[in-house]
Amino acid sequence: MTVAQERCGSLPEAPFEASARGPLRGVRVVDMSRLVAGNMLSLQLADFGADVLKIETAGAGDPLRDWREADGDEQFDGWWQVYGRNKRSVALNLRSAAGLEVLLRLLDTAQVLVESFKPGTLEHMGLGPEVLHARNPRLIVVRVSGWGQTGPYRELPGFGSLIEGFSGYARKSGRDGDPPLLPNMALADMIAGLTGAYATLAALRELEVGGGRGQVIDLSLLEPMAAIMGPDAAVYARTGVQPDARRKIASPRGVYRCRDGKWVCMSGSTEKMARRVLETIGRGELCGDPCFSTNAARLENDAQVEEMMQEFVGRHGLAECLDLFRAAGVTVGPVYEVGELLADRHVAERGVYMRSRPADAQDGVVMHGITPRLSGTPGALRMPAPRRGQHTAEVLRAAGFDGGDLEALAAAGAIECE
């Protein structure tokens, strides 16, 4: 057993099944996006059976391929392996007229186009929505950008980190007194990708029932982040309270350090649950104390609540602490590191993560399972993340290009075939 396999613990193996069908079988998506948001969007569609043609720059590929982690003397392209799954790679030179013509031929057969260029770039390429809809009136054009296709910031760079700061998320993260904290993940991009996937499904539904016309989806990274920030804006507008790292919505609620150095997270977000917590830590008498008998009162005296919680948790190891609170029906859980998460029996038995089995990889790749779970037409792993240009010839032949065409296009530098 290799070290990588040992780290996977008892994660289930998930073979690739090329013939697996999903509810989106028959939907073709041409994905011209780069990096995370567009790839997250098209991944959701690909996992449920859509034929996603990943358009990559000939000779370079999607920059997501370059996000690598050290693996001994080599580099592991984990981002691409996870978010490139279930897609076919077509490598084109879109700076050439021949490459653009190939793209247009593919778009004639597609239901969805995903792009993440700076607003106006698609028009500069001669591929504005009006041009595309003249050729394919049913095409759904998903335009991913940082700030949106309109507004004074539309042309500014818009990576997710900027959006996480601009949206207020970074300001309300971290610990009291610390600087604002950016998430150590592509949070804004991921949320935009998920939002874009359901917007695409809504537009596909409109194709079915609303007259068969395509449309443009203007997907910024900013608005989905605003949508998950809760009622912060409403609360501020009404009360003037500025949300930040100190503001809580319930008490007791937080993370607490156990005797063995491990951490638990706990939430008493209902009165019933809060009473269970206080009773478990031996302070049940406070349930009748006006200073602690309601959530509003506990928030006013949260420093005392936190002190009581930490004192109790700090006297117990993680396993004992979980047993005590779970026996009382308290909403409590461990704060895991990745290795602990992968070793958890619930994660393994449910297949939250799984180890894929591409034919050319000894250890496979650990990746998240298909989510959400459909009982009748579930998603599936159909193919591993492709090599750059792996499917160029295959896709173009199916689009009507013959061997001579492919040779001529390759010689002209318009395409890259593996």
Side-chain angles (χ1 to χ4, degrees), residues 29 41 45 112 114 140 142 195-205 217:
V29 179
L41 190 166
L45 307 179
V112 181
V114 181
I140 296 164
V142 187
T195 302
Y198 85 69
T200 301
L201 294 178
L204 286 170
R205 175 61 174 164
I217 297 175

Side-chain angles (χ1 to χ4, degrees), residues 233-371:
V235 170
Y236 175 75
R238 178 64 64 87
T239 68
V241 174
Q242 186 75 251
D244 58 25
R246 296 182 297 274
R247 181 168 170 262
K248 295 175 67 172
I249 58 175
S251 177
R253 180 179 183 270
V255 294
Y256 309 98
R257 190 180 182 92
C258 301
R259 185 182 61 202
D260 53 9
K262 303 290 187 179
W263 293 79
V264 294
C265 55
M266 191 177 311
S267 176
S269 296
T270 66
E271 290 301 333
K272 185 176 183 179
M273 191 60 64
R275 286 196 298 271
R276 290 179 184 174
V277 174
L278 292 175
E279 289 167 357
T280 303
I281 68 172
R283 301 305 303 269
E285 78 280 1
L286 296 180
C287 296
D289 186 327
C291 293
F292 301 97
S293 59
T294 67
N295 187 58
R298 289 189 298 274
L299 286 172
E300 287 290 329
N301 296 282
D302 186 61
Q304 293 173 260
V305 175
E306 287 291 285
E307 184 179 350
M308 290 186 287
M309 291 295 302
Q310 181 55 67
E311 191 278 330
F312 178 85
V313 171
R315 289 191 277 111
H316 302 86
L318 174 61
E320 182 185 12
C321 193
L322 292 175
D323 287 344
L324 286 168
F325 282 109
R326 285 174 174 168
V330 170
T331 46
V332 65
V335 178
Y336 275 157
E337 295 180 351
V338 176
E340 295 168 318
L341 176 65
L342 296 181
D344 187 275
R345 61 189 178 91
H346 181 83
V347 170
E349 290 181 19
R350 187 164 165 82
V352 177
Y353 285 91
M354 54 193 179
R355 188 168 72 252
S356 67
R357 266 298 172 196
D360 58 351
Q362 178 186 2
D363 297 325
V365 177
V366 172
M367 58 182 67
H368 65 276
I370 307 293
T371 184

Side-chain angles (χ1 to χ4, degrees), residues 10-46:
S10 56
L11 292 182
E13 286 195 9
F16 288 96
E17 303 176 37
S19 61
R21 70 174 298 276
L24 296 181
R25 185 177 184 179
V27 174
R28 169 166 283 187
V29 179
V30 174
D31 181 4
M32 297 171 61
S33 70
R34 299 173 293 175
L35 295 176
V36 182
N39 273 306
M40 182 63 164
L41 190 166
S42 62
L43 176 68
Q44 311 312 306
L45 307 179

Side-chain angles (χ1 to χ4, degrees), residues 6-242:
E6 290 178 356
R7 291 181 185 137
C8 294
S10 56
L11 292 182
E13 286 195 9
F16 288 96
E17 303 176 37
S19 61
R21 70 174 298 276
L24 296 181
R25 185 177 184 179
V27 174
R28 169 166 283 187
V29 179
V30 174
D31 181 4
M32 297 171 61
S33 70
R34 299 173 293 175
L35 295 176
V36 182
N39 273 306
M40 182 63 164
L41 190 166
S42 62
L43 176 68
Q44 311 312 306
L45 307 179
D47 279 355
F48 287 96
D51 178 22
V52 174
L53 304 183
K54 182 65 194 177
I55 307 300
E56 301 194 72
T57 303
D62 191 315
L64 194 65
R65 292 180 180 273
D66 297 327
W67 287 16
R68 296 170 175 261
E69 301 285 345
D71 180 21
D73 295 330
E74 301 180 357
Q75 295 285 313
F76 174 55
D77 57 342
W79 282 87
W80 179 251
Q81 291 300 322
V82 173
Y83 296 99
R85 75 187 187 194
N86 285 339
K87 304 175 185 180
R88 297 196 287 171
S89 173
V90 178
L92 303 178
N93 177 5
L94 297 181
R95 294 183 180 276
S96 71
L100 281 175
E101 182 57 34
V102 171
L103 175 66
L104 285 169
R105 289 269 295 272
L106 296 179
L107 287 172
D108 289 342
T109 69
Q111 286 75 48
V112 181
L113 166 65
V114 181
E115 63 98 352
S116 62
F117 297 120
K118 179 180 176 181
T121 300
L122 207 61
E123 288 80 358
H124 182 72
M125 296 169 65
L127 301 176
E130 68 285 350
V131 173
L132 298 177
H133 284 147
R135 292 182 63 117
N136 183 353
R138 292 174 58 85
L139 187 66
I140 296 164
V141 183
V142 187
R143 312 196 70 174
V144 185
S145 63
W147 308 98
Q149 299 296 313
T150 62
Y153 297 162
R154 65 186 293 269
E155 295 186 359
L156 293 179
F159 286 161
S161 299
L162 303 184
I163 305 304
E164 289 147 9
F166 187 93
S167 66
Y169 178 87
R171 184 63 184 85
K172 64 182 293 185
S173 298
R175 291 184 174 274
D176 187 15
D178 287 346
L181 182 65
L182 291 174
N184 189 21
M185 58 181 291
L187 181 64
D189 292 82
M190 295 297 190
I191 293 170
L194 293 171
T195 302
Y198 85 69
T200 301
L201 294 178
L204 286 170
R205 175 61 174 164
E206 173 63 16
L207 280 182
E208 295 176 352
V209 302
R213 299 291 300 181
Q215 57 184 302
V216 176
I217 297 175
D218 181 357
L219 176 65
S220 77
L221 272 61
L222 174 60
E223 277 119 350
M225 279 297 293
I228 70 158
M229 293 296 290
D232 286 354
V235 170
Y236 175 75
R238 178 64 64 87
T239 68
V241 174
Q242 186 75 251

